[in-house]
Amino acid sequence: WCLLLPRRQKKTASHAVTELESTKDCSQAGKPLLCPSHPTEELQLFCEQCDQPVCRECVLGRHRQHPFDLTSTVIHKHGDALRELLKSSQQHMDTLEDVLSQVDEMGGAVRSRAEAVATEICLFARGYVKAIEKHRDQLLKQLEDLKVQKENLLHLQKAQLQQLLLDMRTGVEFTEHLLMSGSDVEILVTKGLVSSRLTKLNSTAYSTHPSVDDRIQFSPHERAGQCCGYEVFGAILNKVVDPARCTLHGEDLHSARQNQLSGFTLLCKDTTGECMGQGGEAVRVTITHKAKRDCAVKPTVCDNGDGTYCISYCPEEPGLYAVCVCVKGQHVQGSPFTLMVKHKFREHQGVFHCCTFCSSGGQKAARCACGGTMPGGYQGCGHGHKGHPGCHHWSCCGQVKESSECLCGPPSDTSQRSLLRTVAL
């Protein structure tokens, strides 16, 4: 066995190989093999059924009736089988050696590739960190500029208000001193100038709120574009909604139907007229009946999170309504406005037919809302006769569109009975 594997394995690498002829003293080579069950008998036969060498006693004993043959006869067949098996094993050994060599090579390739990818990761991380730091510096500068801008506007507003306050205080003090210490003639002489001055100061327009607010937000999930070739996130949100620029949209803005869900959309914009692109505004909507002050509709305001708000409502009473839409306590563009709520959709109570003559089966008493009549005592319409609209129409109101709304009001008992009779006919 060691001869078959010369130095291929560590266990047999140091083994020495000696020919059988030179090992007569330490081996049984050349001597006949004796039967372990019958020590005096030589193994000269081969049991085919048990696949093992046997002696003559074994053939007469427990291997009786088993097919057997001389070992010198069967050795060729079994030796060839062993040689084929040996050849196959040697081929597998060669394949295994090739696979082991490939495994070793792949291990080296994996290590080399891992080192290269690690280098790429480090380069990417350094570039990404550099991009993030640059984006951070840009955000901080943008924040500083925004802060300075807001502070400058506040300083300007403060200076204007202080000057206006100083002028008004001077005017008030002068007027108080004039009224307390001046003579009648002095008061009458300076009355016009003082009155003009105070009137002008009182008419000076000024905002009762700070010109800017503290709305400065940082959105870490906002896409901020490319920086140094890397996509970065994080943006400063500083848009301020301008109620005067906010607009209302929708087909049901000025009309609705009783007991039907209707609605419109509010689009919030900033001071430059651009869409806010974000939600969170304080939106208040009121819908009040003009004729019935105690009748109001409770609307639902849905913040879509993108600067738009869906206002839905379901009026229970028909009539004119006043709708007010306010953002931050101020009316938006187009608010307040009037909403007309129509009566609920009136279904047709009659039949959609070509004429009463056909639909009633020729009954003379059958009537139709189109007003058509026929000669010969027929009270309804017929083809080609006076009053017939010339196309299919509703018997209850004369409408020629099948999907239209009925023009008739709630039918009376008499007309209802007549109508039911027409439908039945």
Side-chain angles (χ1 to χ4, degrees), residues 146-158:
L146 181 60
K147 184 193 72 170
V148 172
Q149 178 185 0
K150 287 180 176 288
E151 288 179 343
N152 290 339
L153 292 175
L154 290 173
H155 288 325
L156 178 61
Q157 184 184 20
K158 182 178 179 181

Side-chain angles (χ1 to χ4, degrees), residues 53-346:
V54 295
C55 65
R56 290 177 296 179
E57 295 295 333
C58 293
V59 170
L60 299 175
R62 58 191 182 91
H63 291 277
R64 182 179 299 174
Q65 296 182 352
H66 289 187
F68 66 91
D69 203 343
L70 293 174
T71 55
S72 58
T73 303
V74 300
I75 186 61
H76 300 290
K77 181 179 68 173
H78 292 282
D80 292 341
L82 284 176
R83 277 185 288 272
E84 289 296 327
L85 186 60
L86 176 62
K87 183 179 179 181
S88 176
S89 299
Q90 289 174 342
Q91 292 175 351
H92 282 294
M93 289 170 59
D94 295 338
T95 303
L96 289 172
E97 287 181 351
D98 293 339
V99 174
L100 286 173
S101 177
Q102 294 177 13
V103 168
D104 292 337
E105 293 177 359
M106 186 56 66
V110 168
R111 288 189 293 270
S112 300
R113 186 57 187 159
E115 293 175 359
V117 173
T119 302
E120 293 179 4
I121 292 174
C122 293
L123 290 175
F124 171 80
R126 282 196 294 268
Y128 208 171
V129 170
K130 183 179 179 181
I132 292 175
E133 290 177 347
K134 183 177 180 180
H135 182 55
R136 175 201 62 193
D137 296 339
Q138 292 175 350
L139 288 175
L140 292 177
K141 185 179 183 304
Q142 182 182 352
L143 178 61
E144 180 65 21
D145 294 341
L146 181 60
K147 184 193 72 170
V148 172
Q149 178 185 0
K150 287 180 176 288
E151 288 179 343
N152 290 339
L153 292 175
L154 290 173
H155 288 325
L156 178 61
Q157 184 184 20
K158 182 178 179 181
Q160 293 173 346
L161 293 175
Q162 287 176 340
Q163 184 62 45
L164 179 60
L165 179 60
L166 178 60
D167 294 342
M168 295 190 73
R169 182 178 287 118
T170 302
V172 169
E173 291 177 353
F174 178 81
T175 305
E176 289 178 346
H177 179 73
L178 176 65
L179 292 175
M180 292 178 61
S181 304
S183 64
D184 295 343
V185 177
E186 290 175 338
I187 294 176
L188 293 176
V189 169
T190 57
K191 176 184 73 70
L193 180 61
V194 172
S195 177
S196 175
R197 178 62 175 169
L198 290 179
T199 301
K200 182 178 180 181
L201 290 174
N202 289 335
S203 62
T204 302
Y206 61 91
S207 176
T208 57
H209 302 282
S211 58
V212 298
D213 56 19
D214 61 347
R215 176 175 291 189
I216 303 176
Q217 297 178 343
F218 175 68
S219 176
H221 303 292
E222 193 83 13
R223 292 181 179 272
Q226 296 282 332
C227 183
C228 299
Y230 295 87
E231 185 176 6
V232 292
F233 293 82
I236 294 177
L237 307 178
N238 63 325
K239 288 187 176 182
V240 179
V241 66
D242 186 357
R245 293 181 179 270
C246 298
T247 55
L248 300 171
H249 306 272
E251 297 180 357
D252 298 334
L253 188 59
H254 297 285
S255 63
R257 185 75 70 170
Q258 180 185 7
N259 293 332
Q260 286 188 3
L261 185 64
S262 301
F264 54 90
T265 301
L266 167 66
L267 176 60
C268 286
K269 300 181 180 180
D270 62 5
T271 54
T272 62
E274 295 183 359
C275 181
M276 289 294 294
Q278 59 183 1
E281 301 296 340
V283 179
R284 184 173 62 88
V285 182
T286 59
I287 305 176
T288 308
H289 201 290
K290 285 191 173 184
K292 302 177 182 179
R293 293 298 177 182
D294 57 341
C295 178
V297 179
K298 185 177 181 181
T300 300
V301 180
C302 178
D303 187 351
N304 297 324
D306 58 356
T308 62
Y309 299 80
C310 292
I311 294 95
S312 58
Y313 59 93
C314 184
E316 297 181 356
E317 293 288 337
L320 289 177
Y321 286 79
V323 183
C324 297
V325 182
C326 298
V327 176
K328 297 177 66 175
Q330 303 179 39
H331 284 279
V332 301
Q333 189 178 133
S335 175
F337 62 91
T338 301
L339 170 67
M340 178 62 186
V341 177
K342 301 178 182 179
H343 287 275
K344 61 182 178 180
F345 190 86
R346 291 188 291 270

